[in-house]
Amino acid sequence: KKFFFFFCATQVTQQNPPCEPLPAAQKPGGPLTHPSTPSHQKGGLYKVHSAGKDPAMAEERKQKDLQMRAAINRQLVESGEKEKLKELLRQRLVECGWRDKLKAHCKDVVKAKGMEQITVEELIEEISPKGRTLVPDAVKKEVLQHIRTFLSTQSS
């Protein structure tokens, strides 16, 4: 559950300037820009330059990013949209077979490490990367589009 909203918040808020457009192939489903993005850069997702020359500016961008994530999450929770998105995600992951694939992976990990030798925390740590990679791009795009639509109706 936490993964989904961390993923979405990361995708939605990674366009604080200074930034550069992502390649067209990576622009999922339409424009999403930060309100302070200059108008000549609007029209797609942007990625933040991770290595800035000024560490203070990089830290400031990080703080703005965290504030943006918190604000988006707060809006989603207060409106009840977060629960709707979670249900949509659950449904799509079951439909595409993601849940079954991850369950099989869990069984393999437990078999390899031994039932008595692995904790729940270790299991989660082991399967999380695989779980993220198994989420189909179409599902990610659909959920992000729902978030975009929600945010655009909130800002209007």
Side-chain angles (χ1 to χ4, degrees), residues 52-72:
K53 292 181 182 177
D54 185 1
M57 284 182 69
E59 184 60 33
E60 185 179 330
R61 280 193 306 270
K62 261 188 200 178
Q63 290 303 316
K64 285 182 181 179
D65 186 49
L66 289 173
Q67 290 170 351
M68 178 72 75
R69 288 180 195 197
I72 291 170

Side-chain angles (χ1 to χ4, degrees), residues 85 88 92 137-147:
L85 287 168
L88 172 69
R92 295 297 185 262
D137 287 343
V139 173
K140 292 176 188 177
K141 287 177 184 178
E142 181 180 3
V143 172
L144 285 172
Q145 188 57 46
H146 280 270
I147 293 171

Side-chain angles (χ1 to χ4, degrees), residues 75-100:
Q75 284 181 314
L76 290 168
V77 170
E78 289 172 357
S79 68
E81 190 67 20
K82 185 173 182 175
E83 288 303 317
K84 292 176 190 173
L85 287 168
K86 286 167 49 174
E87 187 54 40
L88 172 69
L89 181 62
R90 276 187 208 103
Q91 181 183 2
R92 295 297 185 262
L93 291 176
V94 168
E95 287 171 3
C96 73
W98 176 89
R99 188 173 186 270
D100 295 331

